[in-house]
Amino acid sequence: MKFDSKTIYAQSSDIKSRTYLEYRRDMKKKPIAELEIKGWFEKLLRIEYKNNNIIVKKYGGDRFLWFLRGGGVTQDPDYVVRGLNNDELFFELQYANEEMDYYDFKRSKVGTKKRGVAKREPKENLKFLYLVRGSPKYAILSPAWIIKHGIEKVAAAWGSREVYAISKEDLLSQQKEDKELEKIWQIVKTKNYLLEFQHQKVEKIKEELSYLLQQVIDEEKIVQIIPKSLESFFRICFILDSIGKIPKNANLWLIYVLHFFNEKTTSEELTKIIYSVDFLYAKTSLTQSELKTVVDFIKQILLNIKNFQQNNGSYKTDKNLSPIEETRNIIFCINLLEDLIQDILYYYPEESQNFGLKPIEKIFENVDNIEKVYNFITSN
């Protein structure tokens, strides 16, 4: 597995005190919006330019991956627009959570700096799509316009980085409205709610198993012996994950845990299997045969999950589990499985193509009837 250092902007310090799953949850919030907005944006540009050949795609290192294992983000623009003559046009998506007096744009994203020249030169072939969360308002801004109208300052919200601050009045002069955006923002809100809802499973796991960390005596022993039961396997993976250790023969562990899955597996058991798979997968490199086994497993689970959904939006695998916890379990599993798919596409591009693995076009796209699911959760 190769890491492309050119795509890594910030390093592992980005993760700070967050666990790996917490970090991934946080890194997923903006891509939820980016992927939901992409289709609307493509239609908008086709109308604006009177060109039905325009295609908008996610761009750069995060076109497949919304998190990097070592922490960090990419410096690449969010979208690339193709079909405009022979040129590619790049777009950065920015949005404010609410209307403000000033809107900040990081100077390094807007313009390039030349030695001995105080003023930055606006970047070419780049524009900004600026939105306000929950609002039908949008604006398409050029770097030249931002530099011309922006006030240079240091913004705490950007980690004390230098920004161009655009006044509310100036931004208003460039804004247009499209009611379709309000519907998209509602979907974004729903998916962010599901993101937090499923992450509560992580907190529950930590609460239930934290006592195990006090009992770890022989770290060397627990990385060598493969546990025989799913519960033991899951607990050992939790311990190893928490203390930053990797089992010896991690590949063997990974393939072994897949064998705990069968047609009678409950959602609670499934969370333990997939948690373990997610932990082990990230700690090793896979052979083509091992990778195919993992990909086949992912495809089978996603297929089975569809059969677990009930008419009211909940999920059911076991009469002894509450519907709300079953639903949390399944969304937790979908969340990790979609991460795994994107990671495989990024780090194993040739193999994943051979295995027919397709990228996730929208986060939580494997949650069918998502509004029903959301309504079920919020009514319980």
Side-chain angles (χ1 to χ4, degrees):
M1 183 181 304
K2 295 181 180 179
F3 290 83
D4 182 1
S5 60
K6 293 180 181 178
T7 68
I8 298 177
Y9 173 52
Q11 299 301 318
S12 57
S13 58
D14 237 30
I15 297 178
K16 297 179 181 175
S17 62
R18 292 173 288 182
T19 66
Y20 187 41
L21 290 179
E22 287 170 339
Y23 163 71
R24 281 158 54 182
R25 173 202 59 189
D26 294 343
M27 293 300 289
K28 195 174 284 189
K29 292 174 182 177
K30 185 167 184 262
I32 285 176
E34 290 171 353
L35 293 169
E36 293 298 325
I37 287 163
K38 183 171 74 71
W40 165 84
F41 188 41
E42 184 176 270
K43 285 191 287 185
L44 176 74
L45 292 179
R46 287 180 175 185
I47 293 170
E48 292 272 336
Y49 287 94
K50 297 181 174 62
N51 183 347
N52 287 329
N53 294 320
I54 286 176
I55 300 293
V56 175
K57 290 186 174 292
K58 279 287 288 145
Y59 185 72
D62 62 353
R63 67 188 183 279
F64 290 139
L65 202 62
W66 36 74
F67 60 92
L68 292 171
R69 289 186 189 167
V73 294
T74 70
Q75 293 191 81
D76 297 314
D78 297 310
Y79 302 123
V80 58
V81 178
R82 298 189 175 108
L84 285 169
N85 302 319
N86 295 321
D87 297 325
E88 289 184 335
L89 182 60
F90 299 96
F91 276 85
E92 289 278 0
L93 171 66
Q94 283 190 213
Y95 58 86
N97 289 325
E98 58 187 2
E99 293 194 358
M100 300 180 292
D101 292 331
Y102 285 91
Y103 300 87
D104 297 335
F105 296 81
K106 198 188 300 185
R107 288 179 65 191
S108 61
K109 284 183 174 287
V110 175
T112 54
K113 194 173 184 179
K114 290 190 175 181
R115 187 184 297 273
V117 180
K119 197 169 184 179
R120 289 178 180 263
E121 292 189 5
K123 290 186 177 181
E124 297 180 356
N125 295 331
L126 174 71
K127 290 189 177 182
F128 288 78
L129 172 63
Y130 203 91
L131 310 174
V132 178
R133 184 189 286 270
S135 162
K137 296 178 181 178
Y138 71 92
I140 294 176
L141 310 172
S142 70
W145 185 90
I146 293 170
I147 290 174
K148 180 180 179 181
H149 293 85
I151 300 170
E152 296 183 23
K153 68 172 190 176
V154 173
W158 287 91
S160 297
R161 290 186 172 91
E162 296 176 327
V163 300
Y164 294 106
I166 300 295
S167 70
K168 180 195 299 184
E169 292 74 22
D170 281 334
L171 186 64
L172 185 61
S173 71
Q174 303 299 305
Q175 283 180 327
K176 298 179 181 179
E177 291 193 5
D178 187 337
K179 292 293 184 182
E180 189 67 24
L181 273 174
E182 292 179 322
K183 298 176 185 176
I184 293 171
W185 282 120
Q186 182 56 47
I187 296 171
V188 171
K189 178 183 176 182
T190 296
K191 291 192 172 184
N192 273 291
Y193 184 91
L194 293 188
L195 186 66
E196 296 299 328
F197 173 74
Q198 65 82 32
H199 190 77
Q200 291 167 11
K201 185 66 180 180
V202 178
E203 301 305 321
K204 289 174 181 286
I205 291 170
K206 287 164 65 176
E207 287 177 16
E208 291 170 5
L209 300 184
S210 59
Y211 74 93
L212 292 174
L213 299 178
Q214 311 301 321
Q215 302 175 9
V216 177
I217 299 172
D218 191 343
E219 293 182 7
E220 188 62 28
K221 185 177 180 180
I222 64 174
V223 301
Q224 294 186 52
I225 303 172
I226 299 180
K228 298 302 180 185
S229 71
L230 173 58
E231 185 62 32
S232 298
F233 197 104
F234 167 65
R235 290 183 176 208
I236 294 297
C237 284
F238 169 79
I239 291 171
L240 293 174
D241 196 8
S242 300
I243 64 177
K245 295 289 184 178
I246 303 171
K248 293 181 178 178
N249 300 317
N251 296 53
L252 183 61
W253 282 54
L254 176 57
I255 300 305
Y256 183 84
V257 73
L258 301 181
H259 291 90
F260 287 116
F261 171 73
N262 58 57
E263 293 301 317
K264 295 182 179 179
T265 299
T266 67
S267 67
E268 186 65 28
E269 293 167 334
L270 197 57
T271 61
K272 294 172 182 177
I273 294 171
I274 294 176
Y275 177 99
S276 302
V277 169
D278 183 78
F279 162 67
L280 293 165
Y281 166 86
K283 305 302 181 187
T284 186
S285 295
L286 303 182
T287 65
Q288 184 164 324
S289 174
E290 290 166 342
L291 187 65
K292 186 177 188 309
T293 301
V294 172
V295 169
D296 289 345
F297 167 78
I298 292 171
K299 289 180 178 179
Q300 185 61 54
I301 297 297
L302 289 176
L303 194 62
N304 284 30
I305 280 174
K306 292 183 181 296
N307 297 325
F308 298 154
Q309 192 170 46
Q310 307 299 296
N311 290 333
N312 65 349
S314 67
Y315 291 87
K316 185 175 182 179
T317 65
D318 186 345
K319 64 181 180 181
N320 296 319
L321 293 173
S322 72
I324 194 72
E325 288 308 316
E326 288 244 61
T327 302
R328 192 191 319 276
N329 289 344
I330 293 299
I331 298 175
F332 174 83
C333 291
I334 289 172
N335 181 61
L336 292 189
L337 290 171
E338 289 186 350
D339 282 359
L340 282 168
I341 289 171
Q342 297 301 88
D343 198 280
I344 291 169
L345 286 164
Y346 185 81
Y347 290 109
Y348 301 93
E350 291 183 14
E351 296 89 339
S352 56
Q353 187 174 4
N354 293 336
F355 300 150
L357 199 61
K358 296 180 180 178
I360 301 300
E361 298 293 338
K362 293 182 178 181
I363 293 170
F364 289 133
E365 68 182 24
N366 288 286
V367 179
D368 292 338
N369 306 305
I370 197 164
E371 287 299 328
K372 271 190 177 182
V373 175
Y374 174 77
N375 290 335
F376 168 77
I377 294 169
T378 53
S379 64
N380 282 272

